[in-house]
Amino acid sequence: MLSFIGRSVIQKTITLFFVSIVSFLIIHLAPGKPSQVNPMNPKFTPEILERFQKEFHLDKPLYVQYLYFYRGLFTGQTVSWKDNQSVFSKIWGRFLNSLPLFIVGTLITWTLSFPVGIRSAIYRGGIYDRTTTFLSYLLISIPGFFFAYVLIIFVVNHFHVPVIGMETFGIANSSIPHMIMDRIWHLLLPSVLGATGGIAILSRYVRSQMLEVEGQDYIRTAKAKGLPPDQVHYKHAFRNALLPFVTMFGLILPGLIGGSVIIETIFSWPGMGRMAYDAILARDYPVILTVNFVSAVLVLAGTFVSDLLYLVVDPRIRL
Amino acid sequence: MDKRPKSHGTPLLRVENLKVYFQGDGKRARAVDGISYEVHQKQTVCIVGESGCGKTVSALSILGLIPSPPGEIVSGKIFFSGQDLLKLDEKTMQNIRGNQIAMVFQEPLTSLNPVFTIGDQLGEAVSTHKSMGAESLKRYMIQLLSDVGIPSPEQRLNDYPHQLSGGQRQRVMIAMALSCDPDLMIADEPTTALDVTVQAQILELLRSIQQKRSMAILYISHDLGVVSAIAHWIYVMYAGIMAEQGNSDQIFRSPRHPYTQGLLASLPSLSKRGKRLYSIPGSVPNPAYKPTGCPFHPRCPHTISTCRKEYPNMCDYGHGHMARCPVLYEKREHTE
Amino acid sequence: MNPGENHIDAPDYIEAPLAPKHTRMQEFGRMLKQNRLAALGFFIFVLFFLCAVTGLILTSGTKPLFNPAMVRLEEKLRPPLSKPNLQALRPDQVPVLNVYLMGTDDLGRDVFARMLQGAWVSLTVGFVAVGISVFIGIFMGGIAGYFGQHHIKAIHILFFLCLIGGIGLVLINAVFAGTALLLLCLSSIVFLLSARDKLPEKTLPAWKGILLGNAVSVDTLIMRIVDIMLCFPSFFLILTVVALLPASIYNIMIVIGLTSWMGTTRFVRAEFLSLREQDFVAAAKALGIGNFRIIFRHIMPNAVAPVLVSATIGIATAILTEAGLSFLGFGVPPPHATWGNILSDGKNFIFDAPWLTFIPGIAILIVVLSFNLFGEGLRDILNPKLRERH
């Protein structure tokens, strides 16, 4: 057990090291320099440019830049090129904004997909199954921002609730229940949108897992024992079908960053994805790299957690 | 191993003209095509046949476990202690499954749920049909496991299936089947996946259990050797129909159906040393594309023109020995 | 009594197949008939393909029938099916059918012509991106699965790192460091050549032993690369690279392709691993057939089914990704119309000219849906194990 954890941590550290190199190379070898972002800007006189380059070690060879950057990252001193703020405090602030969106979205996804998937697996081929199958394909296939606009139009026209941003502008003076309702309205639409794709994919996956398991011999054994169908489906089948989802559970963490760019942009939600997008626009390398690094850490941590969870839930795996 | 007991009374299980068809790819596969058989109390009845001839399907349909959509019981009756199982509702069937009729499956490796302990699965089988306190349940389970010959049963209760050997898992399956003292145990090739030595142990176990508990066993196998060792009564199945029935003596000494004759001829034995082993030409027809007339006629050495057209009748040879081959029946009349 | 002795000749039809044989195509047609959604998907897919081809023909050339780039500022934001105002337009500006089938956009361009052109561009983006990812995926997965047990020596890794690093450094004008690395790379070749003669290995000094020792297996190496690639949040990575590179339709295709091969690699590897152990491969090897032929003639046809399925669904995903990039302003740049950028341009007029949003949006929805349905249907057709479960 301990040796597994040790090996896993070492392996993931090595992976992380390579990720850091690759992302650094991608950013720095791509044509275009941050100093060229706005050559017309009168503030960017050659002297300032030089000072700028010196300050951020842009005049040094690439590997020295790499060392400087990751030294800064690990000592927490990295600052954004754009506004000289600490990258970590920026990310933390945005992270707190993204968190409710992420939590609500994930909750909706996981609480809806499982009942839907299980039900359509049990009644496969029936009306319910066919309807949900078609609906989930529909949701997978719709371009996210198109769907978002359709929903926004619908909500704005029918409920007369403005839904852009985290709260309605100037609402701070109104009563507390009103504020809470307003917050919920603003949270609801983006998180539902963020969840739709997930629901569609996850429920399909739940369905196919359940079908896979329902065909196994031990399900027949359970039925031959005379167990009621509920116990057969929800105890014997579901428990086995659940195993692969432990892996997926580890992979939802990175969704905090990558998945939300478009939705946060549409709803002007000041979250992580939106920040990353702005950083890309401004070629704010420290922010881009840090976001990338953090998300790689999240991915690796997620897989690590899911490996550990697998040990717990699958008795066949013993170390 | 002797003649069928004369004092039949009503049989424990009587299957009448059972037809199970599978629908798929626009074709209808006639997996079980009108079979009838009986199992009397305290008897071991064997159904023999090549793989794919509908043995398992006929067993599963007794418990109502035919997977449907594709499968469907088209017609027939299955009487168990006087009631027709096919007319019962799901709730009553659940009460019969595992309680009055238990089943042991072919693959002990995959028939136990990998994520629950032996104790969980065994206890579940018991507590579904009986109410028992936790303490007495545990004692009962330990008793069951030692009955089926599992060493140190107390520790095995907390083991997961993958920690046991194949033979031990099959013993657990048998313990599970025995847990509610069923009147009938269906054993679907319980020894096929096991080593020959383990196979002998399991057979011995089944035999001793049957003597102790006086229950009936419906034993399904493709292995004539196994069958000859345990059967009181034998049914030979071919392509969804019953080809021949009789006791061991009748079937093994004087088989009356070309298929049974072929099966026996293809058994290796010391007297056939050095000779080429016989094999029945061809293979079992796909249930969706069965030949007309007698389903065995394409592989039969005695085929005459009527075999291709007419579905053969059962011919009675006396003492319950019957075979579905009028050709040989007539030949017998002339020669004897 | 023993029938073996009076064995008569078996009738011919015994040896007939158990079930009538179908060719793959017959099977395919039959399955399509049963899986109506997949059939619908296939139908729309073919229709879309024809649209894209006719669109390409009708909208390209110097004097296209439908001119997607024709700007008519007087006629902007006209709803669908409206008639052009003939007085305001020069004769060559009048749309072909004398009607704006799908209206006009904010520059008065004919949306129908733009949709026709965009169909081809969207299709190309999807196909090329998926082509790249499938190619890399099969290549990497095939190597990992088939040659996975082979080991790479430390010296080889050193050699390649030096080579790539050296070339890279020379390319970014760090000539000195680059040349140094290339020299190191050269010396490693010399070392390798010299070491080859000097067997037995026992006498080698420790450092040479390490350099010539097995470092990692091919399989491990490739799967670690896959792990590294999976650490990047894919859409964010695509966005970053596309934003940094000069805007061009080719860059988008290449970047989408280069960032989506990991899934294909994984299951091609799994497929190869299991197929490699099968008897027919052993038989082929026993016949002395070369690795190359075994891979392409014997294993590949068996592994191609899941690739085909994921490619079909991959095209759908690529079209959606392109639309998402367009929305964020990093899509295919202006001279090309794609459904993605028509849609994202339309979002600014969503209340005044909803057709600019709804026409491309629904078109993308239908096409992507058809790809997904067809892909899933294909999975059922090609995977007999799953067939009875659906």
Side-chain angles (χ1 to χ4, degrees), chain C residues 33-282:
Chain C
K33 234 181 263 170
Q34 281 183 15
N35 191 340
R36 291 223 197 92
L37 283 181
L40 185 72
F42 183 65
F43 177 71
I44 296 174
F45 166 62
V46 171
L47 204 71
F48 171 59
F49 191 77
L50 292 177
C51 271
V53 173
T54 43
L56 180 72
I57 296 167
L58 292 180
T59 58
S60 56
T62 45
K63 266 196 78 67
L65 196 55
F66 292 92
N67 190 346
M70 175 71 73
V71 174
R72 313 171 186 84
L73 286 176
E74 311 81 6
E75 297 274 277
K76 64 181 183 186
L77 297 182
R78 301 291 300 267
L81 293 177
S82 59
K83 297 268 180 215
N85 181 1
L86 292 176
Q87 280 86 45
L89 295 176
R90 278 182 279 118
D92 60 319
Q93 284 180 321
V94 177
V96 176
L97 299 173
N98 208 11
V99 57
Y100 298 115
L101 271 178
M102 294 180 180
T104 61
D105 65 4
D106 53 322
L107 296 174
R109 291 176 295 187
D110 185 1
V111 176
F112 182 66
R114 283 173 64 72
M115 289 294 291
L116 269 184
Q117 191 195 28
W120 177 255
V121 180
S122 294
L123 191 72
T124 324
V125 170
F127 266 85
V128 174
V130 168
I132 293 173
S133 88
V134 163
F135 181 79
I136 301 177
I138 289 182
F139 184 75
M140 301 279 263
I143 288 183
Y146 195 79
F147 297 110
Q149 307 316 311
H150 291 253
H151 279 79
I152 301 179
K153 294 191 166 106
I155 187 80
H156 291 143
I157 298 179
L158 197 68
F159 169 73
F160 273 105
L161 281 182
C162 290
L163 187 70
I164 294 172
I167 292 175
L169 283 177
V170 170
L171 279 182
I172 59 164
N173 294 332
V175 180
F176 181 71
T179 323
L181 272 181
L182 285 176
L183 277 179
L184 197 64
C185 157
L186 206 67
S187 70
S188 71
I189 299 180
V190 174
F191 173 77
L192 202 62
L193 289 177
S194 69
R196 181 177 282 173
D197 309 329
K198 282 180 197 159
L199 296 166
E201 289 175 21
K202 279 176 203 157
T203 57
L204 287 173
W207 64 275
K208 279 193 182 177
I210 292 173
L211 280 182
L212 288 176
N214 292 333
V216 286
S217 70
V218 176
D219 186 45
T220 319
L221 184 71
I222 290 182
M223 291 332 278
R224 286 296 90 76
I225 296 177
V226 168
D227 282 350
I228 291 173
M229 286 300 289
L230 284 176
C231 277
F232 294 102
S234 65
F235 188 75
F236 182 62
L237 178 66
I238 294 173
L239 192 64
T240 313
V241 179
V242 166
L244 293 179
L245 292 176
S248 122
I249 183 170
Y250 302 105
N251 281 341
I252 288 178
M253 297 183 213
I254 292 169
V255 170
I256 294 179
L258 286 183
T259 49
S260 57
W261 50 270
M262 289 83 76
T264 320
T265 302
R266 278 195 159 172
F267 60 71
V268 167
R269 167 179 173 268
E271 204 80 2
F272 264 63
L273 276 180
S274 71
L275 286 170
R276 198 186 55 177
E277 302 302 324
Q278 307 238 316
D279 289 341
F280 68 88
V281 175

Side-chain angles (χ1 to χ4, degrees), chain A residues 11 124 137 141 276-277 295, chain C residues 224 233 236 328 372 376 389:
Chain A
Q11 203 182 42
R124 62 179 169 283
Y137 282 131
S141 308
Y277 175 60
S295 81
Chain C
R224 286 296 90 76
F236 182 62
L328 293 175
N372 280 329
E376 290 290 327
R389 302 215 194 110

Side-chain angles (χ1 to χ4, degrees), chain B residues 147 203-214:
Chain B
D147 279 356
L203 283 181
E204 193 44 53
L205 173 68
L206 283 177
R207 198 170 6 199
S208 71
I209 285 170
Q210 188 188 21
Q211 272 160 13
K212 256 187 257 166
R213 307 218 173 195
S214 69

Side-chain angles (χ1 to χ4, degrees), chain A residues 11 15 18 23 29 31 124 137 140-143 145-146 149 153 207 266 276-277 280-281 283 292 295-296, chain C residues 172 224 228 232-233 236 243-244 320 323 327-328 330 343 347 350 357 364-365 368-369 372-373 376 389-390:
Chain A
Q11 203 182 42
T15 311
F18 278 105
S23 54
L29 293 183
R124 62 179 169 283
Y137 282 131
I140 293 172
S141 308
I142 199 163
F145 61 98
F146 171 63
Y149 279 113
I153 291 177
R207 176 179 179 273
I266 294 170
Y277 175 60
I280 290 172
L281 280 181
R283 300 208 170 200
N292 220 322
S295 81
Chain C
I172 59 164
R224 286 296 90 76
I228 291 173
F232 294 102
F236 182 62
L244 293 179
L320 280 184
F327 170 76
L328 293 175
F330 294 118
L343 174 57
K347 69 175 189 276
I350 191 159
T357 304
I364 292 178
L365 171 62
V368 171
L369 183 65
N372 280 329
L373 289 177
E376 290 290 327
R389 302 215 194 110
H390 283 266

Side-chain angles (χ1 to χ4, degrees), chain B residues 4-311:
Chain B
R4 189 158 201 150
K6 289 260 152 46
S7 56
H8 313 299
T10 51
L12 179 65
L13 175 80
R14 196 170 85 237
V15 175
E16 275 177 21
N17 195 27
L18 180 71
K19 290 186 179 178
V20 186
Y21 292 172
F22 284 81
Q23 209 78 30
D25 285 3
K27 303 280 181 328
R28 203 164 61 158
R30 295 178 293 168
V32 170
D33 208 3
I35 58 169
S36 307
Y37 55 93
E38 292 177 354
V39 179
H40 288 258
Q41 250 130 18
K42 303 174 195 176
Q43 264 194 343
T44 300
V45 171
C46 288
I47 298 183
V48 205
E50 285 168 277
S51 43
C53 69
K55 295 169 302 195
T56 304
V57 172
S58 69
L60 285 177
S61 51
I62 297 172
L63 285 178
L65 291 180
I66 296 293
S68 77
E72 188 194 354
I73 296 177
V74 181
S75 72
K77 294 190 173 75
I78 300 175
F79 288 106
F80 178 76
S81 331
Q83 49 186 346
D84 188 350
L85 294 183
L86 296 180
K87 292 213 174 80
L88 296 181
D89 60 42
E90 183 57 28
K91 203 94 200 156
T92 328
M93 268 316 283
Q94 276 168 30
N95 209 21
I96 289 178
R97 282 181 206 141
N99 194 11
Q100 286 163 288
I101 307 177
M103 190 154 176
V104 177
F105 294 99
Q106 183 173 4
E107 296 285 345
L109 300 174
T110 52
S111 291
L112 287 169
N113 197 327
V115 298
F116 295 112
T117 60
I118 303 297
D120 276 344
Q121 300 189 50
L122 193 54
E124 188 184 56
V126 180
S127 55
T128 309
H129 302 293
K130 292 181 174 175
S131 51
M132 220 182 259
E135 203 45 43
S136 57
L137 176 66
K138 192 173 177 197
R139 249 180 292 124
Y140 182 61
M141 289 196 290
I142 293 171
Q143 180 60 42
L144 272 175
L145 288 182
S146 61
D147 279 356
V148 296
I150 287 182
S152 54
E154 198 152 358
Q155 284 132 49
R156 290 291 93 81
L157 283 182
N158 296 322
D159 279 356
Y160 287 96
H162 70 276
Q163 290 163 310
L164 306 183
S165 70
Q168 281 188 326
R169 284 187 229 182
Q170 196 60 291
R171 286 174 196 269
V172 170
M173 284 297 291
I174 293 172
M176 219 187 271
L178 294 176
S179 61
C180 296
D181 275 318
D183 301 322
L184 172 67
M185 179 157 104
I186 304 174
D188 183 7
E189 309 220 21
T191 59
T192 307
L194 304 175
D195 286 347
V196 182
T197 46
V198 183
Q199 189 171 340
Q201 291 167 6
I202 297 281
L203 283 181
E204 193 44 53
L205 173 68
L206 283 177
R207 198 170 6 199
S208 71
I209 285 170
Q210 188 188 21
Q211 272 160 13
K212 256 187 257 166
R213 307 218 173 195
S214 69
M215 61 177 182
I217 294 182
L218 177 61
Y219 194 96
I220 293 170
S221 178
H222 67 273
D223 187 338
L224 286 170
V226 169
V227 169
S228 69
I230 59 166
H232 294 121
W233 197 256
I234 298 173
Y235 290 94
V236 181
M237 250 185 110
Y238 180 77
I241 64 164
M242 280 302 175
E244 187 167 358
Q245 65 186 69
N247 62 31
S248 308
D249 266 3
Q250 292 160 345
I251 296 286
F252 286 93
R253 296 265 165 80
S254 53
R256 299 297 188 178
H257 193 282
Y259 176 63
T260 321
Q261 291 170 356
L263 281 183
L264 287 171
S266 54
L267 279 182
S269 79
L270 282 176
S271 63
K272 291 185 216 158
R273 255 179 103 150
K275 290 183 199 154
R276 201 188 168 102
L277 211 53
Y278 174 75
S279 72
I280 306 176
S283 54
V284 183
N286 182 321
Y289 301 95
K290 267 193 222 173
T292 54
C294 171
F296 190 60
H297 84 254
R299 307 171 70 188
C300 179
H302 306 287
T303 305
I304 56 170
S305 59
T306 41
C307 294
R308 304 210 171 96
K309 288 171 233 146
E310 281 168 32
Y311 183 69

Side-chain angles (χ1 to χ4, degrees), chain A residues 21-155:
Chain A
I21 290 183
V22 172
S23 54
F24 194 80
L25 283 180
I26 288 178
I27 300 274
H28 281 268
L29 293 183
K33 292 271 173 288
S35 45
Q36 295 169 351
V37 164
N38 202 347
M40 292 316 188
N41 191 337
K43 278 190 201 158
F44 262 52
T45 58
E47 297 84 57
I48 289 179
L49 200 65
E50 201 174 307
R51 217 185 64 213
F52 181 76
Q53 286 198 330
K54 202 155 220 129
E55 193 174 332
F56 294 111
H57 315 291
L58 287 177
D59 46 351
K60 299 271 172 33
L62 212 50
Y63 64 93
V64 180
Q65 286 187 39
Y66 174 82
L67 291 178
Y68 270 119
F69 175 74
Y70 281 99
R71 196 189 67 186
L73 192 68
F74 285 115
T75 50
Q77 288 164 348
T78 317
V79 290
S80 160
W81 286 352
K82 216 168 95 187
D83 45 17
N84 255 347
Q85 276 181 337
S86 162
V87 170
F88 278 114
S89 67
K90 269 181 92 157
I91 289 185
W92 181 247
R94 295 303 191 101
F95 173 76
L96 291 182
N97 286 344
S98 277
L99 205 58
L101 207 58
F102 173 73
I103 291 175
V104 174
T106 310
L107 279 181
I108 296 176
T109 309
W110 284 69
T111 47
L112 274 182
S113 328
F114 275 91
V116 169
I118 292 172
R119 213 185 128 91
S120 58
I122 292 174
Y123 303 102
R124 62 179 169 283
I127 288 289
Y128 179 84
D129 181 29
R130 274 185 278 170
T131 320
T132 51
T133 300
F134 189 75
L135 270 181
S136 51
Y137 282 131
L138 208 67
L139 286 179
I140 293 172
S141 308
I142 199 163
F145 61 98
F146 171 63
F147 191 39
Y149 279 113
V150 174
L151 277 190
I152 290 176
I153 291 177
F154 178 75
V155 168

